[in-house]
Amino acid sequence: MKKLLILLQLSAVIIFMSACGGTKEEKVEKELRYVKSITVHPADAAQHFNYFGTVAESRLVNISFRTGGRLDQMNISEGDYLKEGEIIARIDSRDHNLQLKAAKAQFEQSKDEYARYKQLYERKKLPENTLQKMEAAFLMTESNYETAQNALKDCILKAPFSGYVFESFVENHEAVAPGQPIISLLDMNTVEIIFHIPEEHMEQMDNIASITFDIAHANIKNRSAALKSISKKAGKNNLFEVRLLADNKDNRIKSGMTATISLELNEGGEQCMIIPSEAVFQNNNQSYVWVIQDDYRLKKQQVRIGKAHNNGSISILKGLKNGAHIVTAGTHFVIEGQEVKIADKN
C-alpha cells in the first residue's frame, strides 16, 4: 500500500512538470520579435542615370583618286559642306582619253578576229587550240578596254557621302598618285556621343527603356539617341566607355560639344532601390537583407549593393523587387523562417 502511494505521488509530479513545460513552450512561441521594416520602391533618383559626354563625328574618311594625274579642278576649301555625289576634284583626262581610244581599237580588232576564227572552227577548218588562243587575246583586250573606261571615269572624284571638308591635303594643278589623300571628309549627318560609366551601373545597361540627351550650346533638349557600343574592358580610370548614335540632319551639333545624357530604366525590369544601410548584413562575403513574407516569416535574400549615400542609405542594384517588405533594424537578431511582428512607427 505504501509503494502504491509513492507511485501515485511520482506520477502526479511528472504530469505537473510536463504541464508546466508545455505552457512555457507555448509562451515562447507567442513571444514574437518586433522588427522595424519598410516597403521598398524605386526612388526617383534610381529611375534614371545622368552622365556628361562629348560629341564626336561618326566618320572621318580620307578621300583619294583611284588613278593618278595632274589636278585640273580643285575648288573646295576646308569647312565646305559637300552633298553625296558632288564633285570634289578632277584630274586632267587627256592621257586617259588617249589610252581609252587605243584600248577600244585593240578590243574591236580582236573582237572581229575572234568572230572570224570562230566561224572557221565551226566549219572544221581551224584547230581548237588556235581558237582558244584567239579567245584569250580577245578577253585580254576586252579587259584592257574596260580598265581604260574606268580610269577615265575615275578622273572625277565625287563625295561618297554628305559631310564637311575637314582638311585639304593638295593644291590645284598638283600631280597626284593613285590612293593619295586629297581631302578628309567629316560625316556629321549622324554623330557619336561618348561617355563613361562606373562598374556598378553596367548591369543596368541591359534594362534601358530610352536614351535622351541635351546640348546647351546647340539649343537641343531631349533628343533621342541609340546605344551603339559598350566597351568590354574598363579604362585607366576604371570606367567603361559607352558610345551612342544620334541624328544630326539639321547640322546643329558640332564635334567636340558637351552633352548631358539621360538613361531611363525599363519599368518591367529589375530596378535599382535605395534602402537604409542597416538593412544589409554580410554572410560569407555576400550581402543579404531579410524579406518579410506574406505570413510574416523571414526569408534571407541575397542582393548586390551599389553606391553608399551620405544620408546613411545604400543603392541595391539587384535582388529586390518593387514592393518588397524588408527588415531595417535588428538584422543580426533574427533567423531564417522566424515569424515576426511589425513594430509601430511610434
Side-chain angles (χ1 to χ4, degrees):
M1 188 67 180
K2 190 174 182 181
K3 290 181 178 180
L4 179 61
L5 182 61
I6 292 172
L7 287 173
L8 289 173
Q9 289 175 343
L10 287 173
S11 299
V13 170
I14 292 172
I15 292 171
F16 175 75
M17 290 179 67
S18 299
C20 290
T23 303
K24 189 175 182 180
E25 289 177 2
E26 289 175 3
K27 201 170 184 181
V28 169
E29 286 183 4
K30 290 180 180 178
E31 290 179 354
L32 302 179
R33 177 174 293 277
Y34 281 89
V35 294
K36 293 182 179 180
S37 67
I38 61 167
T39 300
V40 297
H41 298 287
D44 290 339
Q47 293 284 353
H48 64 272
F49 298 106
N50 290 329
Y51 305 93
F52 291 103
T54 305
V55 175
E57 66 278 358
S58 60
R59 284 188 294 178
L60 180 61
V61 181
N62 289 338
I63 311 298
S64 60
F65 284 101
R66 298 181 65 180
T67 188
R70 184 178 61 85
L71 279 179
D72 191 41
Q73 179 184 333
M74 177 75 174
N75 299 320
I76 61 171
S77 303
E78 294 179 2
D80 288 350
Y81 181 76
L82 298 177
K83 293 182 179 180
E84 182 178 352
E86 188 173 343
I87 294 176
I88 298 172
R90 294 176 186 267
I91 285 179
D92 185 357
S93 60
R94 180 183 58 184
D95 293 340
H96 293 285
N97 273 315
L98 292 175
Q99 292 172 4
L100 177 61
K101 289 179 180 179
K104 182 179 179 182
Q106 291 175 357
F107 167 69
E108 290 178 347
Q109 181 183 357
S110 178
K111 181 180 179 182
D112 292 339
E113 287 181 355
Y114 176 64
R116 288 197 303 271
Y117 276 84
K118 191 174 182 180
Q119 289 177 357
L120 292 173
Y121 173 75
E122 290 173 351
R123 293 202 298 263
K124 309 293 185 182
K125 294 182 178 181
L126 189 72
E128 184 177 359
N129 63 339
T130 302
L131 179 66
Q132 290 176 347
K133 291 179 182 179
M134 294 305 300
E135 183 180 12
F138 163 68
L139 293 176
M140 184 177 294
T141 57
E142 183 181 38
S143 175
N144 291 338
Y145 179 45
E146 291 177 354
T147 301
Q149 287 178 311
N150 291 333
L152 184 60
K153 292 178 182 177
D154 291 338
C155 287
I156 301 175
L157 184 62
K158 296 181 179 180
F161 54 84
S162 298
Y164 290 91
V165 179
F166 181 70
E167 189 174 3
S168 178
F169 303 106
V170 296
E171 296 291 339
N172 203 11
H173 308 301
E174 281 188 29
V176 297
Q180 178 183 344
I182 305 301
I183 65 167
S184 58
L185 192 60
L186 189 66
D187 183 6
M188 293 296 291
N189 291 319
T190 57
V191 294
E192 289 188 2
I193 301 176
I194 304 170
F195 63 99
H196 298 82
I197 62 173
E199 176 186 356
E200 58 265 26
H201 291 176
M202 280 290 287
E203 196 159 345
Q204 298 298 330
M205 298 304 288
D206 295 329
N207 192 31
I208 295 175
S210 66
I211 306 173
T212 57
F213 65 94
D214 300 341
I215 300 179
H217 290 95
N219 197 25
I220 290 174
K221 292 184 178 181
N222 293 323
R223 180 171 291 189
S224 297
L227 181 64
K228 180 183 179 182
S229 64
I230 304 175
S231 62
K232 303 299 181 184
K233 182 179 179 180
K236 293 181 179 179
N237 55 2
N238 293 324
L239 299 176
F240 293 83
E241 183 182 86
V242 182
R243 289 178 176 263
L244 307 177
L245 279 178
D247 178 69
N248 187 35
K249 291 181 180 178
D250 55 4
N251 292 318
R252 290 160 61 188
I253 305 174
K254 309 300 180 185
S255 183
M257 285 184 168
T258 301
T260 303
I261 303 101
S262 178
L263 307 182
E264 295 290 336
L265 298 182
N266 192 336
E267 290 290 342
E270 196 167 25
Q271 297 173 306
C272 177
M273 309 289 176
I274 296 180
I275 64 173
S277 301
E278 295 82 0
V280 181
F281 62 96
Q282 302 291 320
N283 188 4
N284 295 327
N285 296 322
Q286 299 292 336
S287 300
Y288 295 89
V289 297
W290 289 113
V291 175
I292 304 172
Q293 302 181 94
D294 293 340
D295 59 358
Y296 291 95
R297 294 189 180 275
L298 299 182
K299 177 184 177 183
K300 186 167 69 172
Q301 176 64 48
Q302 184 176 347
V303 294
R304 181 181 174 187
I305 61 174
K307 180 180 178 182
H309 303 278
N310 294 331
N311 61 357
S313 61
I314 191 169
S315 295
I316 302 298
L317 304 178
K318 188 175 183 181
L320 281 180
K321 293 184 178 180
N322 186 11
H325 200 188
I326 65 169
V327 175
T328 58
T331 56
H332 297 287
F333 301 100
V334 291
I335 60 174
E336 179 82 18
Q338 181 176 352
E339 187 176 353
V340 295
K341 278 188 175 183
I342 308 302
D344 189 281
K345 292 183 179 180
N346 297 322

